[in-house]
Amino acid sequence: MAKVKGAIVVDTERCKGCNLCVVACPTNVIELNEEVNIKGFNYAYPKFHDACTGCTNCATVCPDMVITVYRFKPAKA
Amino acid sequence: MAEILTPEEIIKQGEPVFVKTKLMTDNTLSYCPGCGHGVAHRITMEVLEEMGIGDQTIGVAPVGCSVLAYEFMNIDMQQAAHGRAPAVATGIKRLFPEKYVFTYQGDGDLAAIGTAETIHACNRGENIVIIFVNNGIYGMTGGQMAPTTLEGMVSSTSPHGRDVEMMGSPIKMTEMVATLPGVCFATRQAVHKPGLVRKAKKAIRKAFENQKDKKGTSIVEIVSNCNSGWKMTPVDSNIWLEENMLPVFPLGDIKG
């Protein structure tokens, strides 16, 4: 079965590390990085990117609009 | 077996399904990490973008944390004196009846100092949208008790918890104004979970549709968190919100 795949891009410099996207992700793709951005926040990053389904939950709850979501639907074989 | 795409390939070949709306500026929001204001701003602007009325809309910013809303919303904005946003919006709407006018207010602004303006604008049935972000506290000035602070809730001016005998019960503005005939749509939403954000967006859309159809005042209350004022992490504050705020301020349509 063709599985829908997703990917996210996080604008790390604008991320405030609030952790809301980590909680909202149903497939536990996102985690906070141990490294910090220019403002000193532990920014979110897709740690287990392969599990992403492109559901947009993370971007929907992100208060700072730092996440862009892409989705790829493979053509049916 | 289809080949497994790397995230980079998905980004290149896939379609973007969530991109920041153009009606939000590129300025970094001044809110604390995890604050519900950011989501409330975004869904409001997304509704305007979807309806294609961004260039015909005038927003009125309040006093409070969201006083700088005009820095973030890429539309025409006016800043009102504390609590007077519905009065200013009344003036704008009467001068430009063809424009869409909304106010964006917090609970200290709408439910405390601006009670009279809010109630009378609603009573006159002004054809405006009021977006009311309720976090039960004065967030900007350091977490003082607001009219919407819950019973027993600790704030910097009620260190032993809000005492109802002395300070009254939390005021339910949306229920109050829903009794007025001028109000066509009163609803309470939240933005701490993805599903609730989508519901809140639909409610805001309905409010602007009502304005388009000249039905009267629409008020959309958004129960939000204030993790700095409540002295919690963003995730904990959302759990606290669900357990404590929502029983007092239940979600759903109150009128319309």
Side-chain angles (χ1 to χ4, degrees), chain A residues 5-7 9 14 16 18-20 23 39 49 55-57 59-65 67-72, chain B residues 5 7 10-11 13-18 24 26-29 31 33-35 38-39 42 194 197-198 234-235 238:
Chain A
K5 295 271 290 172
V9 178
R14 284 167 64 98
K16 293 177 185 165
C18 67
N19 212 26
L20 294 187
V23 178
K39 287 189 192 133
H49 217 156
C55 70
T56 72
N57 272 9
T60 307
V61 294
C62 177
D64 292 283
M65 291 154 283
I67 303 176
T68 309
V69 186
Y70 296 85
R71 198 184 289 160
F72 182 75
Chain B
L5 295 171
I10 296 167
I11 290 162
Q13 297 175 25
E15 51 172 328
V17 283
F18 191 101
M24 288 295 289
D26 286 332
N27 295 337
T28 306
L29 298 183
Y31 306 116
C35 177
V39 181
R42 196 198 73 225
V197 175
R198 294 183 182 113
V235 174
N238 281 348

Side-chain angles (χ1 to χ4, degrees), chain B residues 23-25 27-30 41 68-74:
Chain B
L23 291 184
M24 288 295 289
T25 61
N27 295 337
T28 306
L29 298 183
S30 57
H41 277 31
L68 293 173
Y70 49 78
E71 294 276 336
F72 313 128
M73 296 180 176
N74 203 0

Side-chain angles (χ1 to χ4, degrees), chain B residues 200-220:
Chain B
K201 191 174 159 185
K202 274 186 197 155
I204 293 176
R205 169 99 193 207
K206 188 176 172 191
F208 277 99
E209 298 279 359
N210 286 342
Q211 184 169 161
K212 196 177 185 180
D213 301 338
K214 299 185 173 57
K215 284 186 176 167
T217 315
S218 301
I219 178 164
V220 181

Side-chain angles (χ1 to χ4, degrees), chain B residues 63-94:
Chain B
V63 170
C65 286
S66 46
V67 65
L68 293 173
Y70 49 78
E71 294 276 336
F72 313 128
M73 296 180 176
N74 203 0
I75 55 168
D76 290 335
M77 298 283 289
Q78 165 72 48
Q79 220 272 292
H82 202 352
R84 272 67 194 177
V88 173
T90 300
I92 295 172
K93 186 69 185 177
R94 288 189 179 192

